[in-house]
Amino acid sequence: MWLAAQPPDLDQVRDAFDRIIKAGKEASEVIGRIRALMNRAPPRKEDLEINEAILEVIALTHGELVKNGVSLQTQLAAGLPLVQGDQVQLQQVILNLIINAVEAMSGVGEGSRRIW
């Protein structure tokens, strides 16, 4: 659409490609961390932003939440210091908590399926 416009909207095209490249790099990192988890690699201690780790897991579980009619709300504190730990393990814990909550609500009526 942007390229077909007269004149082509090259700024929009560049922005779209930048977002695609960023998403591809993020997906690659997630896949690498999942592979490390599956290979039982030793924990890596690294500085990480806890909010970023949480938001990545939420993005990964979005489809499952929608499929099960569950809404998820967060209230993350801003400006937190970096924490040291293994991002894969931390994200696995968060993922397990979300999946367990979704499963626990399977018998609850549609309107009240909310994770806070």
Side-chain angles (χ1 to χ4, degrees):
M1 224 170 32
W2 297 316
L3 289 173
Q6 290 303 321
D9 191 344
L10 297 180
D11 288 335
Q12 288 287 350
V13 173
R14 275 189 209 96
D15 288 344
F17 278 125
D18 287 343
R19 288 191 307 273
I20 290 167
I21 290 168
K22 181 181 179 199
K25 287 179 181 178
E26 289 174 357
S28 174
E29 289 174 11
V30 169
I31 290 168
R33 290 193 301 266
I34 290 171
R35 283 184 177 157
L37 179 65
M38 293 306 188
N39 292 333
R40 305 274 186 213
R44 296 185 329 196
K45 288 204 174 184
E46 58 189 345
D47 289 337
L48 57 99
E49 291 186 28
I50 188 88
N51 287 347
E52 226 175 82
I54 292 168
L55 292 173
E56 282 181 17
V57 174
I58 291 171
L60 287 172
T61 59
H62 178 75
E64 192 68 21
L65 293 167
V66 170
K67 184 176 89 176
N68 287 284
V70 175
S71 67
L72 185 141
Q73 293 177 293
T74 60
Q75 186 176 1
L76 304 176
L80 293 174
L82 296 176
V83 296
Q84 194 173 69
D86 187 303
Q87 185 164 342
V88 173
Q89 288 183 345
L90 174 65
Q91 288 181 316
Q92 185 65 49
V93 169
I94 296 165
L95 176 65
N96 289 344
L97 288 170
I98 292 172
I99 297 301
N100 289 347
V102 169
E103 289 175 359
M105 287 187 273
S106 64
V108 175
E110 296 282 328
S112 57
R113 293 181 181 185
R114 185 172 301 151
I115 299 172
W116 178 260

